[in-house]
Amino acid sequence: MSIPDFTDESGLLTPEQLLAKRKALGLSQVKFAAALNVSVKKVSAWEHGKAEPSEDEIEKIAALFREKVCCNK
């Protein structure tokens, strides 16, 4: 499973890269899940490669990463 990495034109995010990017932005699973309006269990499943986000969730992830990277919030 790969998630498009819209903050970087280099390609896609693997579950491990999603985890690393979330942590690099200083977001706990709880805060990440709240920002995306999903459960912590769902975030954990994505990060362990046990589930894939929907297209809508992928767009929300990409928007959150763009916001965090662009504005250093």
Side-chain angles (χ1 to χ4, degrees):
M1 185 260 319
S2 296
I3 298 169
D5 180 3
F6 295 105
T7 64
D8 181 346
E9 296 300 321
S10 67
L12 303 171
L13 290 177
T14 64
E16 295 80 13
Q17 291 168 323
L18 175 64
L19 170 66
K21 189 163 224 137
R22 174 185 60 77
K23 286 185 173 185
L25 293 174
L27 296 172
S28 66
Q29 281 188 339
V30 172
K31 288 183 180 180
F32 189 62
L36 299 172
N37 198 30
V38 299
S39 69
V40 175
K41 186 175 180 178
K42 188 175 264 197
V43 170
S44 178
W46 295 340
E47 292 179 349
H48 288 91
K50 295 182 180 196
E52 295 184 16
S54 68
E55 287 185 32
D56 183 53
E57 291 163 340
I58 290 170
E59 289 300 319
K60 288 179 182 178
I61 292 166
L64 180 63
F65 285 168
R66 276 193 300 265
E67 176 183 318
K68 290 284 187 182
V69 171
C70 136
C71 305
N72 292 321
K73 292 182 181 179

